[in-house]
């Protein structure tokens, strides 16, 4: 007997307008019919349209129940989306979804609530999060969000939702219990153990009721399609479009450089004419949120000749340019005069932006942080090829001129001039914040997934010796002092307040309350499952 049909995810909300919102969910069958029931007594019905994800696969590193793979293998997943229309701002109504399989068997979700985009003047709680990546503290973090502040009205996710974008189970059903959707839907099952005490965290039921707006992080980007034998290697196999054009002329540029197809197939986001879903702006209550595509390839700082690193090519590949990594390549230009920069400039001059009470910009790469990932500078790698007398390649190195950091040189001055109050980002897996001389707040609240540490005190960044440019080992390379948390900072061993949280035990989340203008950050010590969540920092957007 065939088992009963199941939904691969609960439904979740996307792209609210003044009178509508999209409901999206996934199944592993194409089905005969997929519907949303909504309204009082769920008496209204709308049919969903169905698409199939084109690049989702599993491979030898996948952790799915009852199955192992020897190499990347296509996984069939269908996505259903319906737009519920005729809604009234401020009025929340119940809904559920139902999918009917080809054999007529059906499955319904639980009942959740939906609402269209909130009007200006509405007090909203928005969760600021990033870098979940199936990390051990993510489920605990999201569970504590719901236990502490209840249902939020929106989620802003500053990139790195998963580790390897085309590996389906990372989004849906990794059997260790920490996949993306289960965490954000209260269906995670992630076990943590301290001193022999086991606690299972479920995440929080969040995005069934609240729309999520996301930015692309480096982990949403996949490399060249199927040139490697595992999805991890394929993830690492990105090259610049211009190089792909030379190496693979006449073939698909997307398949032969890098792509964000799976991410774009999963989410329905606001779009800009220039950047589509990759960069966009949206009004949500009193906020104008501008989302940028600012992320680059992450490569190891290790100078060992065996690695394709951020500062050098691997020795074995010196004569194989098709195997080079080309350093930490930037996926979408943001430099002055680029298409994205011009779009940003126009957006910052738009009436929607100018009239908004709160002006917030979100992207993945940090402009200011104590984290490691801010070095080297956010700029196109400068390739240096060293040759011997016979013109044979001895080394291929990359430098990153700090005075050409596009975020600091080009983007931040624009944001300052436009009176942006908050710049929100992730990538380094820690919590810290900054205020620049013009009063712009910078917040990195990515101690959701586990930390990569802070360059502070005795802990220095791994920077290349003997290189020409300035690679900063400690503090914020872009010159700001971190702000000490205002309410209850952690203390160092000698009792001094620490201006960051970089911990594999203490997880952090932040909530922006548009009613008060306060951005509040909370910490939870996963070593003490019964302990209280502590509000440790708060600042106001004015
Ligand atoms: Fe990242």
């Amino acid at each position: 007997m065939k088992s009963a049909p199941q939904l691969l995810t609960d439904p979740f909300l996307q792209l609210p307008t003044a009178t509508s919102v999209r409901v999206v969910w996934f199944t592993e069958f194409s089905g005969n019919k997929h519907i949303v029931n909504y309204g009082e007594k769920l008496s209204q019905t709308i049919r969903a349209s169905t698409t199939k994800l084109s690049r989702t696969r599993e491979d030898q590193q996948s952790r799915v129940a009852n199955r192992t793979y020897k190499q990347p293998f296509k996984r069939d997943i269908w996505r259903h989306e319906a737009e519920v229309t005729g809604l009234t701002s401020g009025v929340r109504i119940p809904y559920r979804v139902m999918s009917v399989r080809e054999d007529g068997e059906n499955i319904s979700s639980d009942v959740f609530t939906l609402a269209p985009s909130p009007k200006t003047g509405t007090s909203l709680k928005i969760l600021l999060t990033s870098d979940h990546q199936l990390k051990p503290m993510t489920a605990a973090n999201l569970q504590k969000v719901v236990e502490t502040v209840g249902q939020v009205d929106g989620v802003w996710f500053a990139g790195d939702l998963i580790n390897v974008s085309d590996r389906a189970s990372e989004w849906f059903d990794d059997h260790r219990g920490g996949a993306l959707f289960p965490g954000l839907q209260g269906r995670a099952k992630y076990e943590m153990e301290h001193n022999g005490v086991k606690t299972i965290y479920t995440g929080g039921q969040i995005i069934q009721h609240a729309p999520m707006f996301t930015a692309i992080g480096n982990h949403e980007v996949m490399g060249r399609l199927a040139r490697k034998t595992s999805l991890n290697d394929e993830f690492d196999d990105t090259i610049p479009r211009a190089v792909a054009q030379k190496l693979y002329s006449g073939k698909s540029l997307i398949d032969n450089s890098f792509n964000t197809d799976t991410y774009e197939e999963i989410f329905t986001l606001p779009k800009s004419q220039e950047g589509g879903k990759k960069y966009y702006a949206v009004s949500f209550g009193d906020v104008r949120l501008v989302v940028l595509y600012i992320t680059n390839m992450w490569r190891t700082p290790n100078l060992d000749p065996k690695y394709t690193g951020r500062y050098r090519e691997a020795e074995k590949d010196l004569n194989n340019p098709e195997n080079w990594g080309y350093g930490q390549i930037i996926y979408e230009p943001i430099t002055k005069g680029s298409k994205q920069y011009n779009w940003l400039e126009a957006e910052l001059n738009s009436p929607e932006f100018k009239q908004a009470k709160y002006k917030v910009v979100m992207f993945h790469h940090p402009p200011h942080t104590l984290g490691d990932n801010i070095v080297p500078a956010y700029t196109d790698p400068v390739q240096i090829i060293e040759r011997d007398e016979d013109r044979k390649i001895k080394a291929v190195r990359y430098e990153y001129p700090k005075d050409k950091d596009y975020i600091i040189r080009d983007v931040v001055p624009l944001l300052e001039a436009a009176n942006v109050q908050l710049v929100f980002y992730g990538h380094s897996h820690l919590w810290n914040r900054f205020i620049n001389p013009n009063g712009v707040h910078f917040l990195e609240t990515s101690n959701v997934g586990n930390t990569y540490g802070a360059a502070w005190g005795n802990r220095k960044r791994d920077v290349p010796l003997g290189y020409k440019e300035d690679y900063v080992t400690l503090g914020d390379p872009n010159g700001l002092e971190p702000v000490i948390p205002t309410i209850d900072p952690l203390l160092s061993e000698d009792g001094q307040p620490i201006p960051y949280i970089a911990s594999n035990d203490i997880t952090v989340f932040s909530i922006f309350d548009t009613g008060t203008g306060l951005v509040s950050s909370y910490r939870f010590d996963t070593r003490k499952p019964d302990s209280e969540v502590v509000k440790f920092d708060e600042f106001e957007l004015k």
Side-chain angles (χ1 to χ4, degrees):
M1 205 181 82
K2 213 173 169 187
S3 59
Q6 288 186 325
L7 302 178
L8 187 57
T9 65
D10 267 345
F12 61 99
L13 303 182
Q14 294 267 271
L15 195 62
T17 71
T19 57
S20 73
V21 69
R22 313 285 179 105
V23 175
V24 177
W25 71 104
F26 296 87
T27 59
E28 287 192 89
F29 52 87
S30 66
N32 288 338
K33 191 168 83 164
H34 303 274
I35 58 171
V36 180
N37 299 122
Y38 64 99
E40 212 183 313
K41 295 183 183 155
L42 301 171
S43 56
Q44 287 170 279
T45 299
I46 186 158
R47 250 186 124 120
S49 55
T50 295
T51 52
K52 192 175 174 189
L53 299 184
S54 68
R55 289 177 191 256
T56 41
R57 286 161 287 162
E58 302 293 351
D59 74 341
Q60 52 275 42
Q61 271 109 33
S62 292
R63 305 288 292 271
V64 285
N66 309 320
R67 241 195 117 167
T68 54
Y69 299 85
K70 290 213 171 72
Q71 69 262 321
F73 189 82
K74 181 89 179 69
R75 182 158 169 201
D76 294 333
I77 291 169
W78 285 266
R79 177 190 193 270
H80 318 290
E81 172 176 319
E83 184 174 16
V84 178
T85 56
L87 303 173
T88 308
S89 263
V91 180
R92 193 167 268 284
I93 60 168
Y95 79 99
R96 75 166 174 225
V97 303
M98 184 178 77
S99 284
V100 183
R101 200 164 60 187
E102 292 87 329
D103 60 4
E105 297 281 321
N106 68 66
I107 172 75
S108 294
S109 70
D110 292 341
V111 176
F112 307 108
T113 64
L114 60 77
S117 201
K119 277 205 190 91
T120 55
T122 315
S123 172
L124 305 168
K125 280 179 289 189
I126 297 168
L127 170 64
L128 312 181
T129 191
S130 70
D131 299 271
H132 289 191
Q133 298 175 247
L134 297 91
K135 297 286 183 189
M137 296 195 297
T138 308
N141 184 289
L142 297 168
Q143 184 170 326
K144 293 298 158 184
V145 168
V146 175
E147 288 176 10
T148 308
V149 301
Q151 199 175 91
V152 298
D153 301 286
V155 179
W156 298 348
F157 200 126
D160 282 4
L161 297 98
I162 37 55
N163 293 299
V164 175
S165 188
D166 283 2
R167 185 178 290 127
S169 50
E170 294 203 12
W171 298 94
F172 302 113
D173 59 353
D174 183 288
H175 82 163
R176 291 163 293 182
L180 181 90
F181 283 107
L184 287 161
Q185 300 196 310
R187 291 182 171 277
K189 213 176 151 192
Y190 199 93
E191 184 179 284
M192 298 190 82
E193 184 174 346
H194 286 285
N195 296 332
V197 179
K198 288 178 180 169
T199 310
I200 291 176
Y201 291 100
T202 60
Q205 195 181 94
I206 298 172
I207 57 171
Q208 290 97 327
H209 305 273
M212 180 160 77
F213 299 101
T214 55
I216 298 174
N218 51 307
H219 284 276
E220 277 69 64
V221 185
M222 288 298 294
R224 283 172 278 184
L225 181 68
R227 201 180 78 104
K228 299 281 185 163
T229 54
S230 79
L231 294 176
N232 283 30
D233 288 349
E234 190 171 317
F235 167 76
D236 283 332
D237 201 26
T238 60
I239 54 169
R241 297 251 201 262
V243 174
Q245 220 144 17
K246 282 187 204 146
L247 289 174
Y248 304 99
S249 84
K251 294 188 186 156
S252 160
L253 206 52
I254 297 292
D255 286 353
N256 289 293
S257 53
F258 58 87
N259 75 85
T260 50
D261 284 12
T262 293
Y263 166 86
E264 292 183 66
E265 288 175 11
I266 285 178
F267 294 110
T268 298
L269 298 166
K271 286 181 187 169
S272 62
Q273 213 187 339
E274 291 80 357
K277 295 175 183 177
K278 295 187 178 85
Y279 51 89
Y280 59 87
V282 62
S283 298
F284 191 68
D286 283 328
V287 192
R288 184 69 172 173
L289 174 67
V290 179
V291 177
L292 299 175
Y293 184 12
I294 300 186
T295 189
N296 58 3
M297 180 63 194
W298 185 94
R299 296 194 183 281
T300 178
N302 198 315
L303 293 175
D304 188 309
K306 69 173 182 276
Y307 295 120
T308 304
R310 63 178 71 161
Y311 300 113
R312 59 163 300 160
E313 298 295 355
E315 203 157 74
K316 66 174 168 43
D317 284 326
L318 288 180
N319 292 305
N320 306 311
E322 75 276 14
N323 291 340
W324 291 358
Y326 298 88
Q328 297 210 138
I329 62 174
I330 288 176
Y331 292 124
E332 179 71 29
I334 186 63
T335 186
K336 192 169 185 175
S338 65
K339 195 161 73 164
Q340 185 176 198
Y341 179 95
N342 291 343
W343 171 81
L344 173 62
E345 205 171 28
E347 163 59 27
L348 300 179
N349 278 308
S350 70
E352 292 85 352
F353 184 88
K354 287 189 156 171
Q355 286 157 16
K357 183 173 177 190
Y358 297 113
K359 301 165 168 64
V360 180
V361 177
M362 171 169 83
F363 50 84
H364 186 60
H365 196 91
H368 296 283
T369 183
L370 303 178
D372 287 353
N373 286 339
I374 195 169
V375 173
Y378 193 83
T379 189
D380 292 306
V382 178
Q383 189 180 62
I384 298 150
I385 301 184
E386 292 170 0
R387 295 172 190 272
D388 64 15
E389 311 85 79
D390 304 325
R391 304 286 302 149
K392 223 173 127 235
I393 296 178
K394 271 183 0 192
V396 179
R397 300 191 299 109
Y398 297 96
E399 295 266 12
Y400 299 82
K402 191 157 168 284
D403 60 353
K404 294 195 174 72
D405 187 305
Y406 305 141
I407 303 175
I408 296 301
R409 187 191 70 181
D410 299 343
V411 178
V412 170
L414 266 192
L415 305 185
E416 276 173 3
N419 297 318
V420 166
Q421 292 128 314
L422 174 64
V423 181
F424 165 53
Y425 45 94
H427 194 42
S428 310
H429 296 225
L430 80 166
W431 181 95
N432 56 183
R433 73 176 178 96
F434 303 83
I435 307 173
N436 81 2
N438 291 300
V440 182
H441 291 274
F442 293 85
L443 175 67
E444 179 171 26
T445 181
S446 54
N447 199 186
V448 171
N450 296 41
T451 193
Y452 301 145
W456 193 253
N458 298 320
R459 193 194 165 281
K460 291 183 176 169
R461 290 189 188 91
D462 200 354
V463 303
L465 297 173
Y467 276 54
K468 178 173 133 249
E469 301 291 339
D470 182 17
Y471 300 102
V472 177
T473 55
L474 284 173
D476 170 27
N478 297 320
L480 296 185
E481 285 301 316
V483 177
I484 302 279
T486 53
I487 300 172
D488 196 350
L490 295 178
L491 302 178
S492 63
E493 278 167 14
D494 56 358
Q496 297 303 306
I498 306 174
Y500 61 87
I501 294 184
S503 171
N504 290 321
D505 299 310
I506 299 170
T507 190
V508 174
F509 60 87
S510 299
I511 301 287
F512 173 30
D513 183 330
T514 70
T516 59
L518 294 173
V519 178
S520 308
S521 293
Y522 300 81
R523 58 180 155 86
F524 171 66
D525 191 337
T526 62
R527 290 167 301 189
K528 302 170 191 156
D530 297 327
S531 65
E532 292 292 309
V533 169
V534 177
K535 190 200 281 190
F536 69 94
D537 180 72
E538 201 157 74
F539 62 94
E540 189 179 350
L541 302 189
K542 289 190 176 125

